[in-house]
């Protein structure tokens, strides 16, 4: 239920998040325990791991210097649309530069 209330996985019965330093995989062949990195990126996100947060940087005419904290992916499109003079009335995110 928590995943649904946070806006993700509307049909999911449950969500798995691995402990830091571990990964969930769909292959069952090969070494069971590895001491070297086997994947450099995966889809997914958990607020429990701040290091999983992505960076968003933007510069250009009319964009003031500063920091915006906790940018969500759904905020990027409305922000870029506003810069280009377009509107996205059905977008869930917000213009980060307001």
């Amino acid at each position: 239920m928590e995943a649904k209330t946070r806006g993700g996985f509307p049909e999911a019965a449950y969500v798995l998040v691995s402990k830091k330093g571990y990964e969930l995989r769909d292959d069952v062949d090969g070494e069971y325990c590895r001491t070297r990195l086997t994947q450099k990126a995966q889809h997914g996100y958990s607020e429990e791991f701040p290091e999983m947060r992505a960076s968003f940087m933007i510069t250009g005419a009319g964009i003031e210097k500063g920091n915006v904290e906790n940018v969500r992916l759904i905020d990027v499109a409305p922000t870029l649309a506003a810069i280009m003079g377009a509107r996205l009335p059905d977008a869930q995110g917000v213009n980060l530069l307001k």
Side-chain angles (χ1 to χ4, degrees), residues 57-65 83 97:
M57 294 180 269
I58 189 167
T59 185
I63 299 173
E64 295 181 25
K65 184 177 180 178
I83 290 170
L97 303 178

Side-chain angles (χ1 to χ4, degrees), residues 6-7 11-12 16 19 22 29 31 38 61 70 74 76 80 82-83 86 91:
R6 290 171 40 209
E11 302 301 319
L16 298 175
K19 183 178 176 182
Y22 294 83
D29 297 327
E31 302 172 54
T38 58
N70 299 318
I74 62 173
V76 175
L80 297 178
I83 290 170

Side-chain angles (χ1 to χ4, degrees), residues 43-70:
H43 288 83
Y45 173 74
S46 173
E47 291 90 357
E48 295 178 28
F49 306 134
E51 64 273 14
M52 291 181 74
R53 293 183 186 140
S55 299
F56 178 74
M57 294 180 269
I58 189 167
T59 185
I63 299 173
E64 295 181 25
K65 184 177 180 178
N67 292 322
V68 178
E69 300 291 329
N70 299 318

Side-chain angles (χ1 to χ4, degrees), residues 3 9 12-17:
F9 309 105
Y14 56 89
V15 176
L16 298 175
V17 177

